[in-house]
Amino acid sequence: MARTPARTAGWAAASWIVLGAGLLTAVAVGVAAPATATRVYLLGVLVCCVAAAVGLRHNVAAGHRRPWLLLLSAQCLSLTGESVRLLVTSVDALAHTALTMIPNLVLLPNYLLLTAGVLDLLRRSRAAADDPARVDTLLVGVGAALVVWSLWVEPWFAADDRRWQNLVAALLPLAAALLLVIAMPVLLLTRVRTPALALFVASGVALLAADMVLAVRGWFVSGPGAIPMHVMGALVFVADTTNAACMLHPSVRVLTEQVQGRSRFLTKGRTAAITAALCVPTVLWVAAPPANNTFALVRAGLSLALIGVVVARVVRANNSRARAEQETRWQAEHDALTGLPNRDTVAATIDRWVARGDAPSRVSVLLLDLDRFKLINDHWGHEVGDELLRAVAGRIAAAVRAEDLVARVGGDEFIVALTGPAGEPVAEQLATRLLTALAAPLPLSVGAVDVTASIGVAHAAPQPHAAAPGNHASTPGSHPEPPEDHAAGRESALDLFRDADTAMYRAKDSGRNRYAVFDPRLRQGIQRRVELEGALRGALANGQLAVHYQPLVHLVTGRVDGFEALMRWTHPELGPVSPVEFIPVAEDTGLIVASGAWLLEEAAAQTQAWRAGSPVHVSVNLAVRQLREPGLADQVREILARTGLPAEGLWLEITESGFMEDPDTCLRTLHELAALGITLCIDDFGTGYSSLSYLQRLPVAIVKIDRAFVTGVGDGGPDEPIVRAVLAMSHALGHRVVAEGVETTVQRDWLRANGCDFGQGWLYGKPLPAADQTAALREPVSRP
């Protein structure tokens, strides 16, 4: 049942009403005549049992009721015993004596039920295993045992009346005290101080007070000076009432929730309890000295136990503090997920190595970044992502040497720091081993997962005979000559991290699953990239972007069938910026989403204007970032509606490698676009690694052969069989084919002779503004 504020307030009010009525009833039990007090007591306990049961049903979830049901069972058992006591008053003396034993025999199972309930409550909300609260409870327990022995058990042994019932009465305060001691860890935990907790404590204290009254009075004491039995009954009723009010209050559910202990902090209450326990031997020796040497020896033994617990607490506290400091240091120096050293630890180690300056050796750093790790996280969730990181950490640790240092420095970034002889490619060889180690699928809970990595390598010590800087991106198995290292004075861990990071991005740009070695020109490329990113952020708003169109020609008729719309950027200070430079920056930063939408709308509007005289189409590239944006199909539908361009007038191009970034999401989006009637194209066909396996699944109608294959056709080159195969396969699947990069008539004639449908390239014209391309629509492109 849902807990609304009104319902919660209602149950809280009911709890306080039961408490108030119960306290008034307890007063009545304490001052009334014995017979009347017994009947009022029994009726009141019955009401408390019913109220507690109702409160548990409404306030405590089914899986958390057991400790409270045990406490309630003890209360019901006590009610049964006292009811029997009331009934025996009307039977004969022999039967009276026998039946009187029943309420007394109920004491043992009653306290067993109470103990079981308190232990279960402690189990559900206990603190850490080394929590000092347990030692503190033992300390208070030994102190309580010393009090009970000195004040009540010793007098029983010394008295003439040694009936066992009086010994039970003498021991009852110890039982109640032990219950409170058991519950103390719960009370010492960091917990919101709820009304239910206060009522729970009050119930235990009232029960202890009742047992102390019985211990002082004895079971068979009578006469004008004796404490009336119903006074103890009043205190027991207070315990039952507060227990019922606790279960009836909505905050009772908090007491069964597990909490983190903070008992290392010595609060005022705990300090007072410990101080009182330590003062017990001295106070008792003065106030109630032992009657003989035997009693004195027992007290001495309990006092020694008390001292032993105090010593144990001091030792435990010191050990706990030492472990906590050690754990804190470890956490500050290590990654919690993998257990590897963290960035600060490896940086300090590298700085020590560099400062040591061993002449024949140099310090190197490998920065390893997992490729497409975000896709794994998005597909399987962060738990599998964490599992993958731990598995990768194990693979790396197994591949390095014993003297190398492996660290995790970011989400999916790892660093390996090592030293080796100057002039030897130790770091490059390790990079190759790491790529090989990660090539095998990782067995995870979801199955075997393939993962690759890009690695950047940076060296610290100077190498006099290094090769000239160049392109050092390498695949597994290759060992390029190391480039020139850092100059003296710049060899710090932060320098190495930065340069290894730069080299790692060079490896990613080179195709991933490889390593690259840092050289200064890479840093210049990063600076250029940062400069372009800052300038590109205002390009669209400042009107710096433009659209150029390149003709796409039907090879049989020689007429322009359409145009490919290409984005161009001219910056007022940087001048014209090549798309090869700014398009990757736009994709990485997400700027391609807004600029791509602008390009699409500009191209659609221009093409609709052209279609007034010729049914041409426009082809627009879609970046992977655009494909993964939610609502792309709706955005395209709205652009077509605003510009008036029919769906058959729009071609959208995707790259096969881009599709593989997130095939499930991309495939879903492509089907939505195809449902609009748009023509979909695979761009740069043949340059990826999954063309054949995905060509049938993709809802495409056009295949564009990459210019790398077109360059060699017409002169008997090795690419001709590949192009023929692509043409045959595409036509067999019902797709038309566009050849990119057509620059010569020889290429054009060969493609036309082999059945290629369309050609695009500088033979037919380079990309130009719309005004310059309008004339191309009026007549066929010249052909021999």
Side-chain angles (χ1 to χ4, degrees):
M1 185 177 295
R3 296 187 182 93
T4 62
R7 291 184 60 83
T8 301
W11 286 110
S15 172
W16 297 124
I17 290 173
V18 167
L19 178 63
L23 293 178
L24 292 176
T25 304
V27 173
V29 170
V31 301
T36 303
T38 301
R39 289 176 174 81
V40 172
Y41 170 83
L42 293 176
L43 180 60
V45 174
L46 179 62
V47 172
C48 288
C49 291
V50 173
V54 172
L56 287 182
R57 182 175 180 275
H58 286 275
N59 295 324
V60 182
H64 295 272
R65 291 175 184 166
R66 188 172 63 186
W68 302 109
L69 289 175
L70 291 170
L71 297 178
L72 180 59
S73 299
Q75 194 167 314
C76 294
L77 187 62
S78 175
L79 173 64
T80 303
E82 293 302 320
S83 299
V84 171
R85 191 190 304 276
L86 178 64
L87 293 175
V88 299
T89 56
S90 59
V91 299
D92 60 79
L94 181 62
H96 180 278
T97 303
L99 292 174
T100 303
M101 298 291 295
I102 294 178
N104 299 336
L105 293 176
V106 166
L107 281 174
L108 179 59
N110 182 51
Y111 273 93
L112 288 177
L113 286 172
L114 288 175
T115 303
V118 173
L119 286 174
D120 194 12
L121 188 63
L122 175 62
R123 180 186 63 82
R124 293 169 184 268
S125 59
R126 63 177 179 265
D130 61 342
D131 204 302
R134 285 156 176 74
V135 182
D136 293 344
T137 56
L138 181 60
L139 182 66
V140 176
V142 174
L146 183 56
V147 171
V148 171
W149 169 266
S150 302
L151 295 184
W152 296 299
V153 177
E154 281 185 10
W156 182 84
F157 280 107
D160 296 331
D161 184 359
R162 293 192 179 181
R163 282 178 288 185
W164 64 269
Q165 291 93 335
N166 283 341
L167 178 60
V168 171
L171 292 174
L172 282 180
L174 180 59
L178 288 176
L179 283 176
L180 277 176
V181 166
I182 292 172
M184 275 189 65
V186 179
L187 309 179
L188 293 174
L189 294 177
T190 300
R191 189 192 294 278
V192 178
R193 301 306 181 191
T194 61
L197 179 60
L199 293 169
F200 179 72
V201 175
S203 176
V205 171
L207 180 62
L208 176 60
D211 289 341
M212 290 175 66
V213 168
L214 183 60
V216 172
R217 177 188 183 279
W219 217 289
F220 301 102
V221 178
S222 60
I227 302 174
M229 196 69 170
H230 51 270
V231 172
M232 188 197 76
L235 292 171
V236 173
F237 187 75
V238 171
D240 293 340
T241 298
T242 49
N243 192 44
C246 172
M247 298 184 198
L248 199 58
H249 200 280
S251 63
V252 67
R253 62 181 179 273
V254 177
L255 298 185
T256 54
E257 295 175 355
Q258 188 171 7
V259 295
Q260 297 297 322
R262 197 182 62 181
S263 56
R264 292 184 179 90
F265 295 98
L266 203 58
T267 61
K268 294 180 180 179
R270 291 178 61 193
T271 303
I274 295 171
T275 303
L278 293 176
C279 293
V280 163
T282 303
V283 172
L284 288 176
W285 203 278
V286 174
N292 54 50
N293 291 334
T294 301
F295 293 159
L297 288 175
V298 174
R299 289 197 193 187
L302 290 173
S303 300
L304 289 175
L306 195 65
I307 295 172
V309 174
V310 172
V311 173
R313 191 195 191 287
V314 173
V315 173
R316 193 180 187 93
N318 287 337
N319 292 341
S320 179
R321 184 181 300 108
R323 284 194 300 270
E325 292 174 353
Q326 184 178 9
E327 182 180 353
T328 300
R329 285 195 301 270
W330 190 92
Q331 291 175 347
E333 297 173 353
H334 291 78
D335 169 55
L337 178 64
T338 62
L340 295 175
N342 58 21
R343 185 185 186 92
D344 293 339
T345 302
V346 72
T349 302
I350 291 172
D351 286 335
R352 285 198 304 271
W353 288 353
V354 173
R356 191 173 58 195
D358 293 341
S361 67
R362 67 175 175 183
V363 178
S364 301
V365 164
L366 280 68
L367 177 63
L368 183 149
D369 183 90
L370 301 183
D371 299 326
R372 301 184 180 92
F373 175 72
K374 185 177 185 301
L375 292 180
I376 296 175
N377 254 354
D378 293 344
H379 184 71
W380 280 302
H382 290 284
E383 290 185 1
V384 174
D386 291 346
E387 186 182 357
L388 173 65
L389 291 174
R390 287 191 290 268
V392 168
R395 286 274 178 94
I396 296 173
V400 303
R401 304 171 304 176
E403 62 268 26
D404 300 337
L405 179 62
V406 182
R408 179 176 175 234
V409 296
D412 60 337
E413 289 186 344
F414 297 83
I415 274 184
V416 181
L418 67 154
T419 60
E424 295 186 13
V426 177
E428 288 81 355
Q429 292 170 357
L430 175 57
T432 302
R433 290 202 307 273
L434 290 174
L435 293 173
T436 303
L438 293 176
L442 292 167
L444 303 181
S445 59
V446 295
V449 175
D450 292 313
V451 64
T452 60
S454 300
I455 303 176
V457 181
H459 301 294
Q463 182 179 339
H465 304 292
N471 184 358
H472 301 284
S474 307
T475 55
S478 64
H479 303 290
E481 189 70 19
E484 183 178 355
D485 294 326
H486 293 260
R490 295 183 56 255
E491 301 167 349
S492 70
L494 295 181
D495 292 331
L496 288 172
F497 290 168
R498 180 198 62 201
D499 293 339
D501 186 69
T502 301
M504 181 270 294
Y505 277 107
R506 175 69 180 90
K508 283 189 179 294
D509 292 340
S510 298
R512 299 186 175 94
N513 191 27
R514 62 193 65 220
Y515 72 85
V517 184
F518 174 80
D519 69 59
R521 291 188 303 178
L522 294 180
R523 189 185 299 119
Q524 296 171 3
I526 293 294
Q527 293 171 348
R528 171 68 173 176
R529 184 184 180 91
V530 171
E531 182 182 23
L532 289 179
E533 180 178 332
L536 187 58
R537 292 191 180 278
L540 181 59
N542 296 329
Q544 299 169 9
L545 298 182
V547 185
H548 286 195
Y549 299 86
Q550 185 173 33
L552 188 149
V553 175
H554 192 276
L555 290 178
V556 174
T557 65
R559 289 190 174 275
V560 174
D561 192 80
F563 294 92
E564 181 176 1
L566 301 168
M567 191 183 302
R568 293 294 184 261
W569 177 28
T570 302
H571 189 268
E573 297 178 2
L574 301 175
V577 183
S578 169
V580 177
E581 280 194 289
F582 77 81
I583 292 297
V585 174
E587 291 183 350
D588 290 345
T589 59
L591 296 172
I592 195 67
V593 175
S595 59
W598 169 85
L599 172 67
L600 182 58
E601 184 146 4
E602 289 287 316
Q606 179 60 56
T607 305
Q608 177 61 13
W610 277 331
R611 287 176 68 88
S614 178
V616 294
H617 72 269
V618 68
S619 180
V620 181
N621 284 281
L622 282 180
V624 181
R625 190 70 172 263
Q626 291 176 275
L627 276 174
R628 292 169 64 181
E629 283 291 311
L632 176 63
D634 294 334
Q635 183 185 61
V636 173
R637 183 189 298 110
E638 293 171 0
I639 289 175
L640 294 178
R642 284 196 299 269
T643 60
L645 181 68
E648 62 268 18
L650 177 62
W651 292 10
L652 293 177
E653 301 181 16
I654 62 167
T655 60
E656 54 176 330
S657 57
F659 168 79
M660 288 304 297
E661 289 281 343
D662 190 356
D664 293 335
T665 301
C666 292
L667 190 60
R668 183 168 55 251
T669 302
L670 291 177
H671 279 291
E672 293 174 354
L673 293 170
L676 300 178
I678 292 169
T679 300
L680 297 177
C681 318
I682 291 186
D683 193 17
D684 300 334
F685 186 81
T687 60
Y689 51 86
S690 60
S691 307
L692 298 179
S693 61
Y694 278 93
L695 189 57
Q696 269 190 309
R697 291 182 57 190
L698 298 176
V700 298
I702 304 292
V703 173
K704 300 187 75 173
I705 303 176
D706 187 74
R707 66 180 63 250
F709 298 99
V710 175
T711 301
V713 302
D715 56 2
D719 291 331
E720 288 185 358
I722 298 176
V723 176
R724 287 194 188 98
V726 172
L727 287 168
M729 179 187 63
S730 300
H731 289 151
L733 293 173
H735 303 329
R736 292 176 290 173
V737 181
V738 177
E740 296 182 301
V742 181
E743 298 181 354
T744 67
T745 56
V746 173
Q747 294 169 348
R748 177 199 62 190
D749 295 342
W750 188 92
L751 290 166
R752 186 168 56 203
N754 283 274
C756 186
D757 301 282
F758 304 99
Q760 179 183 352
W762 279 39
L763 177 65
Y764 304 111
K766 62 182 181 179
L768 294 171
D772 297 328
Q773 295 290 10
T774 302
L777 297 173
R778 298 172 185 163
E779 56 185 17
V781 176
S782 60
R783 50 180 293 203

